[in-house]
Amino acid sequence: MNFSSKLLEDAVNEFGKLPGIGQKTALRLVLHLLNKDQSEVAQFGNTLIKLKSEIKNCVVCHNISDFDTCSICAAVKREKEIICVVEDTRDVMAIENTNQYFGVYHVLGGLISPMDGVGPSDLNIETLVERVKEADVKEIILALSANMEGDTTLFYLHKKLKDFNIPITTIARGIAFGGELEYADEVTLGRSIVTRVPYENTLMK
Amino acid sequence: MNFSSKLLEDAVNEFGKLPGIGQKTALRLVLHLLNKDQSEVAQFGNTLIKLKSEIKNCVVCHNISDFDTCSICAAVKREKEIICVVEDTRDVMAIENTNQYFGVYHVLGGLISPMDGVGPSDLNIETLVERVKEADVKEIILALSANMEGDTTLFYLHKKLKDFNIPITTIARGIAFGGELEYADEVTLGRSIVTRVPYENTLMK
């Protein structure tokens, strides 16, 4: 692109570095910001700078937090003896949005993926084992993605945790609500028959 | 969305204000930035702040510029007696990318649109008339969008400029290169026949 302004070019390049944003979209976003007030743009820039410099990871569960301990770990109402293990903050938010879970979390910060050079030592697994060892944990829920990396991590975590004799569960896999059997893939449909549940258990409380 | 962090929420909301970016995309972008170094995020934020506080509009053509006079108006090689009138900076960049135009520009900063409350006085039209009055202009090219607002603006500009007895042209409308007649709309196809040009004129120089 032919920029008449270096300042414009720099800003477009910065936006263009973001995932899924090409040069044309970046230009549109920058021109949008240029039409805003100076104070609004300053706020945008400063919010990002502040975010990166001030944000922390919870010392207990590693979730993104404004304080040393995140709001979930600090809440009196949450059941501390149930730990849900997830990949990242996005998963915490997704589960929180369901309003169906009242325990606490443990954020691994990724999944074991030898292809990407991510091993168990790169994840927050040791701290999970420490938590299980020290606290009175009644259940560990492994809520990981249903793919190769998720399964590998599941297998590794199970091996690490099984000697504590605490129930280890995983989230249910099956046909999504609103999903039609006809269009479901064979693996999901097959597994959903094998792991069928009593009808009474499926009624929302 | 259920944010465990106010800092995260603020950043997501800032990105969510941008056109075409929803909450989920905003979250993805913010988490991407969180994985970057502090210095990279600071650069992102500061580039935007600097852009808005330092950028200017060229005193001659109103194009976005780092200096009082933009690089196109300041260039000795550009033909100052041909002025191409466009809606905004994006159009300048699009025409510059063709490498087919060597005159200068005049950026209106919008199009006349009574529906949106944009009248002639909101646009850089008076300064265009001044330029035409004062400088030795040989041709005015009106390169505006082919829609209601573009046509209204075209009509208004023509009325304002016709008494100077300078050739006023508009960019050619017709079937795009690579476009198939079969799929062209009737108006474009009809106009492309009415405004047909000698074959020799279509050969690239």
Side-chain angles (χ1 to χ4, degrees), chain B residues 71 84 143 168 170 182 193:
Chain B
S71 53
C84 179
I168 298 174
T170 69
E182 197 178 339
I193 292 172

Side-chain angles (χ1 to χ4, degrees), chain A residues 5 14 34 43 52 66, chain B residues 5-6 14 34 43 52 66:
Chain A
S5 154
E14 286 296 331
L34 266 183
Q43 189 189 322
K52 182 64 191 174
D66 294 352
Chain B
S5 154
K6 181 80 174 60
E14 286 296 331
L34 266 184
Q43 190 189 320
K52 182 63 192 175
D66 294 353

Side-chain angles (χ1 to χ4, degrees), chain B:
Chain B
M1 264 197 261
N2 249 308
F3 291 96
S4 58
S5 154
K6 181 80 174 60
L7 291 165
L8 185 67
E9 187 172 358
D10 286 346
V12 169
N13 286 339
E14 286 296 331
F15 267 107
K17 284 182 200 164
L18 297 174
I21 294 192
Q23 279 239 306
K24 288 218 168 180
T25 308
L27 179 63
R28 195 159 58 92
L29 298 179
V30 171
L31 291 178
H32 172 87
L33 281 178
L34 266 184
N35 283 329
K36 295 280 156 199
D37 288 342
Q38 166 97 45
S39 62
E40 283 182 68
V41 178
Q43 190 189 320
F44 188 102
N46 288 325
T47 302
L48 295 182
I49 296 170
K50 195 172 163 207
L51 167 80
K52 182 63 192 175
S53 61
E54 294 187 12
I55 213 155
K56 294 168 183 176
N57 286 316
C58 172
V59 291
V60 182
C61 73
H62 305 283
N63 190 15
I64 285 174
S65 168
D66 294 353
F67 309 100
D68 288 336
T69 308
C70 78
S71 53
I72 296 170
C73 288
V76 196
K77 281 167 86 178
R78 308 292 298 225
E79 303 167 36
K80 303 289 187 305
E81 58 275 18
I82 302 178
I83 298 178
C84 179
V85 180
V86 294
E87 180 183 349
D88 62 22
T89 300
R90 243 175 301 187
D91 298 333
V92 172
M93 289 171 65
I95 295 174
E96 284 299 287
N97 282 338
T98 66
N99 286 319
Q100 297 288 322
Y101 180 66
F102 308 100
V104 291
Y105 294 91
H106 192 88
V107 178
L108 294 177
L111 293 174
I112 297 173
S113 170
M115 295 281 279
D116 301 318
V118 182
S121 59
D122 300 314
L123 307 177
N124 303 317
I125 292 179
E126 273 314 305
T127 50
L128 173 62
V129 175
E130 288 300 313
R131 271 179 89 178
V132 174
K133 214 178 271 180
E134 282 166 22
D136 180 27
V137 178
K138 295 221 178 82
E139 182 179 356
I140 301 166
I141 305 172
L142 303 176
L144 303 178
S145 295
N147 53 21
M148 180 91 88
E149 290 79 21
D151 283 348
T152 310
T153 314
L154 214 70
F155 182 78
Y156 183 86
L157 287 175
H158 182 258
K159 207 179 67 180
K160 275 276 194 185
L161 297 169
K162 68 176 193 291
D163 292 339
F164 291 105
N165 283 318
I166 298 166
I168 298 174
T169 57
T170 69
I171 50 171
R173 309 282 179 203
I175 308 297
F177 283 93
E180 299 194 26
L181 292 205
E182 197 178 339
Y183 302 117
D185 65 288
E186 292 89 355
V187 178
T188 306
L189 187 54
R191 285 283 292 271
S192 79
I193 292 172
V194 173
T195 62
R196 63 192 177 278
V197 291
Y199 173 66
E200 295 79 35
N201 293 8
T202 64
L203 302 171
M204 291 282 260
K205 278 164 207 161

Side-chain angles (χ1 to χ4, degrees), chain A residues 187-205:
Chain A
V187 178
T188 305
L189 187 55
R191 285 284 291 272
S192 79
I193 292 171
V194 173
T195 62
R196 63 191 177 279
V197 291
Y199 173 64
E200 295 78 35
N201 295 7
T202 63
L203 302 171
M204 291 283 260
K205 280 164 206 162

